[in-house]
Amino acid sequence: MKIALISPRGPLYKHKKGIWKKSLRYAPLTLTSLASLVPKEINAKVEIYDEGIEDIPYNLDADLIGISAITGTSSRAYKLANYFRNKGITVVLGGVHPTLVPEEAAKYADSVVVGYAEQTWPQLLRDFKQGTLQKMYKEKNINLSDLPLPRRDMLRPRDYLTINTLEATRGCVHRCDFCVVNAAWGSKPFQKPISDVVKEIESIIEISNKRKLIFLDLNLIADKKYAKELFSALISLNVRWFGLSTVMIAWDDELLDLASKSGCNGLLIGFESLSEETLAKTSKKFNSLKDYYKIVDKLHEKGIAIMGCFVFGLDGDNKSVFKRTVDFCIKAKIDLPRFSICTPYPSTSLFNRLKEEGRILTEDWSLYDGQHVVF
């Protein structure tokens, strides 16, 4: 049995023409995690293709192809799915976008995986081998304990800034109306046992002989008790890591101190807007403009660099938003500002509201990438 796993190209990470070059590319976890979950008893040969760094062979030899798509890459995913299905190859679609709009994705695939895939993906493969493939699989119970390690050995380190990416948690407790997380997976967070995270890091160090890591958790400090225990466990490993957090890390001195001691060198933080009214409307009241400078100062004092994310085009913005935001980034000394256009991803609260108001301009998903105006 031959399985091919594909991550379609998008506008940011695009082979040869992407606007983000290798210096900002880190290895995604989806394909390597799916490869690790293939049951041994089906005796499959597995290949992975990240179209952000390589071309996909159109003469691909596979019995089953799994394609993982976000909204911005879904049009490309559908095109690939149609092509390979016309060649008689079974195609499975999964990822964020098929989870948000499963009925749409089902039009382009033999089967769709909705939500997480730790239990459903192995079952799907067993069903396929037995000739009983279902049209849709939905994860009912998720358990992050004792999972196999992602197949990082299938990646070429030269293609990425680092292949040492991992996660300790899933989900986020907040309900920001423009975010896909709550719409796709709900607000319940899930956690790996800290001992499992430590073992994975020890494995990474042993294999790569490198101690620089990127945590891909959407909000690593969602559960402060868990985060403190995790950071405490990392101290003895002598690693250096980058991750994602909310501004709330600055308001717990013990948590911030432990993050620094554990090797945190940088955090991606969504400041989003300099308008208190706008933050309130997007259900992100825990961000407060008056505290932004203090937050940056506190993190810098601990040696933590900040990738500050800002969104343009939220209701309440006017033309002054650009200069005000840039002036703030310079004055506050944000280490790496990142700007995007507000994008109402399908099935989010923002999309549903704008749809009701008749303000959605297009549902060409290839434009839903944070780089185009779609409402």
Side-chain angles (χ1 to χ4, degrees):
M1 182 172 169
K2 298 175 182 177
I3 301 170
L5 300 172
I6 296 175
S7 177
R9 66 173 181 250
L12 295 180
Y13 301 96
K14 185 188 295 183
H15 183 42
K16 300 175 183 175
K17 297 181 180 179
I19 63 174
W20 279 25
K21 304 305 179 185
K22 180 180 174 181
S23 60
L24 287 173
R25 282 183 179 147
Y26 51 79
L29 277 174
T30 303
L31 300 187
T32 52
S33 296
L34 290 174
S36 74
L37 291 166
V38 174
K40 289 183 172 58
E41 71 268 16
I42 70 171
N43 192 29
K45 177 184 177 183
V46 184
E47 295 180 333
I48 63 175
Y49 297 93
D50 179 355
E51 203 177 15
I53 56 117
E54 64 186 331
D55 293 325
I56 295 173
Y58 282 97
N59 60 346
L60 200 56
D61 181 18
D63 300 304
L64 181 143
I65 294 177
I67 304 176
S68 178
I70 60 174
T71 298
T73 65
S74 60
S75 297
R76 175 63 176 168
Y78 295 159
K79 183 178 180 180
L80 290 170
N82 282 337
Y83 175 81
F84 288 117
R85 290 180 81 196
N86 286 335
K87 291 173 68 71
I89 301 174
T90 298
V91 174
V92 176
L93 285 170
V96 181
H97 188 75
T99 295
L100 293 171
V101 287
E103 291 78 14
E104 174 192 284
K107 299 174 185 177
Y108 302 92
D110 297 286
S111 185
V112 176
V113 175
V114 178
Y116 299 125
E118 274 71 18
Q119 279 74 46
T120 51
W121 173 241
Q123 185 59 50
L124 180 152
L125 294 175
R126 294 185 181 102
D127 290 350
F128 173 70
K129 188 158 188 177
Q130 294 170 5
T132 57
L133 184 69
Q134 301 175 39
K135 284 294 293 181
M136 195 166 294
Y137 291 81
K138 295 184 180 181
E139 191 91 353
K140 295 180 179 179
N141 299 300
I142 178 172
N143 185 348
L144 299 183
S145 301
D146 299 317
L147 293 176
L149 297 181
R151 290 286 308 278
R152 297 182 183 89
D153 59 293
M154 301 181 73
L155 301 173
R156 297 186 300 266
R158 68 176 183 271
D159 292 330
Y160 301 96
L161 171 65
T162 180
I163 64 170
N164 293 336
T165 53
L166 73 158
E167 62 177 3
T169 65
R170 298 257 183 95
C172 182
V173 295
H174 303 295
R175 295 177 177 269
C176 306
D177 78 336
F178 54 80
C179 185
V180 302
V181 177
N182 187 258
W185 300 295
S187 59
K188 181 180 178 180
F190 299 92
Q191 301 162 343
K192 287 184 179 178
I194 291 175
S195 58
D196 286 6
V197 180
V198 170
K199 288 178 183 177
E200 183 168 357
I201 294 173
E202 289 174 340
S203 173
I204 288 173
I205 295 171
E206 181 180 357
I207 294 171
S208 70
N209 198 31
K210 294 182 179 179
R211 294 178 180 270
K212 292 184 178 180
L213 314 166
I214 297 181
F215 279 97
L216 300 184
D217 306 54
L218 298 167
N219 181 6
L220 195 53
I221 65 160
D223 182 331
K224 290 184 180 180
K225 182 177 183 295
Y226 176 89
K228 289 177 182 179
E229 292 176 1
L230 174 64
F231 297 160
S232 296
L234 295 182
I235 293 174
S236 62
L237 297 176
N238 192 28
V239 295
R240 294 290 176 266
W241 61 271
F242 188 97
L244 291 76
S245 174
T246 65
V247 298
M248 297 173 74
I249 192 171
W251 306 133
D252 188 319
D253 289 339
E254 181 187 10
L255 180 64
L256 181 57
D257 187 55
L258 285 171
S260 176
K261 289 179 179 178
S262 71
C264 179
N265 280 174
L267 290 172
L268 183 153
I269 294 180
F271 292 94
E272 317 305 2
S273 173
L274 301 183
S275 165
E276 298 278 7
E277 179 184 359
T278 297
L279 291 170
K281 285 182 178 179
T282 59
S283 301
K284 201 156 186 174
K285 288 183 179 180
F286 57 86
N287 274 22
S288 179
L289 175 60
K290 68 179 183 296
D291 299 323
Y292 278 1
Y293 287 101
K294 187 174 182 180
I295 290 165
V296 175
D297 287 344
K298 290 188 74 169
L299 268 65
H300 280 169
E301 286 171 5
K302 293 293 184 180
I304 299 174
I306 299 172
M307 179 187 281
C309 296
F310 300 86
V311 179
F312 295 138
L314 294 163
D315 283 355
D317 283 350
N318 56 39
K319 290 182 180 180
S320 71
V321 69
F322 306 108
K323 187 177 187 305
R324 286 190 293 111
T325 304
V326 171
D327 287 347
F328 166 77
C329 290
I330 294 171
K331 186 176 180 181
K333 299 179 180 178
I334 300 291
D335 302 278
L336 182 60
R338 181 175 172 182
F339 309 109
S340 64
I341 295 170
C342 179
T343 305
Y345 294 102
S347 298
T348 61
S349 298
L350 177 61
F351 180 90
N352 294 337
R353 175 171 64 82
L354 294 175
K355 185 84 169 176
E356 288 177 5
E357 295 172 359
R359 296 170 60 188
I360 297 294
L361 298 174
T362 177
E363 292 187 25
D364 176 354
W365 303 133
S366 68
L367 300 177
Y368 280 63
D369 58 3
Q371 310 297 306
H372 295 86
V373 175
V374 294
F375 72 95

